[in-house]
Amino acid sequence: MAKPRLLFVYNPNAGKAKVGAGLASYISIFSEAGYEVIAYPTKCALDAKETVCEYLNSKACDRIVCAGGDGTLNEVVGGSMSCDYRVPIGYIPAGTTNDFAYSLGIPTEKIKAAELAVSGKEFLCDIGKFEEQYFTYTAAFGIFTEVSYDTPQNAKNLLGRTAYILSGINSLARIKACHMTICCDEIVLEDDFLYGMIANTNSIGGFRNLLTKDTILDDGYYELLLIRMPQNLLELNATIAELSKGKSENKNIYYKHVREVHFSTEQAVPWTLDGEFGGEHKEGTIQVIPKAISYIVGELPASAS
């Protein structure tokens, strides 16, 4: 009887090139679990997506495991969503922040993550769609997205890094807001926004429960977070303080569970999808696709299940 086939897609440059160093160990773990292993190192942008499409379209694998950062996982999911035939996806986090791995209960220790990828339980998770692009856990625009996920680790989390950068701002004139109209569930918001995010995660930039402690990964909803442009530095500091506490009672913070969001603006706005550049857009629609991808997960955070 033929062994089930496991496609192992890994980014050799992720995690300071440490993924390749453990290649033999990962393959050994997969083989001992009864799989015939096909190892594929990505070579350029979109390579992971195209490889996944190739194998799924020919039904040439029974499980996919990817190793890399959130961007690598984004490509693997995007490739899977482009195909009618899909298989469970395991994930070995090897990026800088590995936000979504936390939400899925996947350990940061790579060997343990590899073992989980062939022994964990399957979990059907919601996926986001931004026009024709897919994303696993976050689509965002605005000032916070300008903070690189490659910032040194002593900047502890996204809001911490942002607060550090904003601490040097002595004039609101240096902050560029985006005037945008946002429609969701028959509600129309038009304002100047400092930041916006549609997400399905318990961690953003290493910051736990930024959106809500009640985030559920398979309920058919994503969380919409908008930060209106403050009128002065005092308001700005108060807004950041509220966010750093995981609260949303501030008048400049708008929060809502959403299934679909439509946005429009006069000038093209750059977006990030799962921390990677997602293009500049004047308008677009973001949708939630319920229970679209089966991940191999560990013990989910209480709020995620």
Side-chain angles (χ1 to χ4, degrees):
M1 184 175 179
K3 292 183 177 180
R5 305 182 83 191
L6 184 150
L7 173 63
F8 179 44
V9 179
Y10 66 97
N11 180 355
N13 298 315
K16 297 182 180 179
K18 293 181 180 179
V19 174
L23 184 60
S25 297
Y26 305 144
I27 292 177
S28 176
I29 290 170
F30 303 153
S31 296
E32 290 177 5
Y35 287 96
E36 176 186 344
V37 183
I38 307 159
Y40 184 86
T42 60
K43 302 173 179 63
C44 58
L46 299 181
D47 195 15
K49 180 179 180 179
E50 293 171 358
T51 299
V52 166
C53 284
E54 176 185 345
Y55 276 86
L56 290 182
N57 283 332
S58 60
K59 297 184 179 181
C61 65
D62 302 283
R63 176 165 301 202
I64 297 171
V65 177
C66 69
D70 291 332
T72 303
L73 180 62
N74 173 283
E75 286 198 25
V76 169
V77 168
S80 297
M81 291 298 297
S82 301
C83 301
D84 293 329
Y85 176 72
R86 297 172 193 162
V87 299
I89 296 174
Y91 181 36
I92 302 175
T96 304
T97 57
N98 304 307
D99 285 317
F100 202 51
Y102 169 80
S103 295
L104 296 178
I106 297 174
T108 56
E109 205 284 307
K110 296 180 182 61
I111 293 297
K112 291 182 179 179
E115 293 171 344
L116 179 68
V118 289
S119 65
K121 60 183 179 181
E122 294 185 27
F123 175 74
L124 280 171
C125 189
D126 301 339
I127 293 296
K129 186 177 184 182
F130 186 113
E131 291 294 290
E132 298 305 314
Q133 302 180 74
Y134 296 97
F135 61 97
T136 58
Y137 73 99
T138 181
F141 71 90
I143 190 169
F144 291 169
T145 61
E146 297 173 3
V147 182
S148 171
Y149 275 32
D150 293 329
T151 303
Q153 288 298 309
N154 60 353
K156 296 180 181 179
N157 52 59
L158 181 59
L159 291 182
R161 292 195 288 270
T162 304
Y164 175 79
I165 291 173
L166 292 181
S167 68
I169 296 176
N170 54 23
S171 171
L172 286 179
R174 297 181 60 183
I175 304 176
K176 185 178 180 180
C178 174
H179 189 82
M180 184 178 289
T181 300
I182 297 176
C183 305
C184 56
D185 298 335
E186 300 182 352
I187 295 174
V188 179
L189 302 171
E190 182 177 0
D191 214 324
D192 293 328
F193 296 105
L194 189 68
Y195 175 76
M197 173 171 63
I198 299 94
N200 192 39
T201 180
N202 291 281
S203 177
I204 296 288
F207 190 86
R208 309 301 190 217
N209 298 320
L210 165 62
L211 294 166
T212 171
K213 294 182 180 180
D214 300 320
T215 298
I216 300 175
L217 304 181
D218 62 347
D219 63 350
Y221 287 88
Y222 271 27
E223 324 305 327
L224 171 66
L225 175 70
L226 299 170
I227 303 177
R228 297 181 176 90
M229 182 68 178
Q231 297 300 309
N232 51 57
L233 285 174
L234 186 62
E235 279 194 10
L236 173 63
N237 291 332
T239 300
I240 293 173
E242 288 295 292
L243 285 172
S244 67
K245 297 174 186 176
K247 298 180 179 180
S248 58
E249 288 84 8
N250 186 281
K251 68 177 184 179
N252 289 321
I253 301 172
Y254 180 85
Y255 170 80
K256 182 176 176 57
H257 295 284
V258 296
R259 290 181 184 272
E260 182 172 310
V261 174
H262 180 79
F263 69 90
S264 61
T265 184
E266 292 184 358
Q267 294 185 333
V269 175
W271 285 75
T272 63
L273 304 179
D274 296 336
E276 303 291 331
F277 181 62
E280 296 188 353
H281 306 267
K282 286 187 176 182
E283 64 177 332
T285 298
I286 301 170
Q287 300 172 298
V288 179
I289 305 176
K291 298 183 177 182
I293 288 291
S294 179
Y295 292 111
I296 306 301
V297 303
E299 190 66 32
L300 298 177
S303 59
S305 57

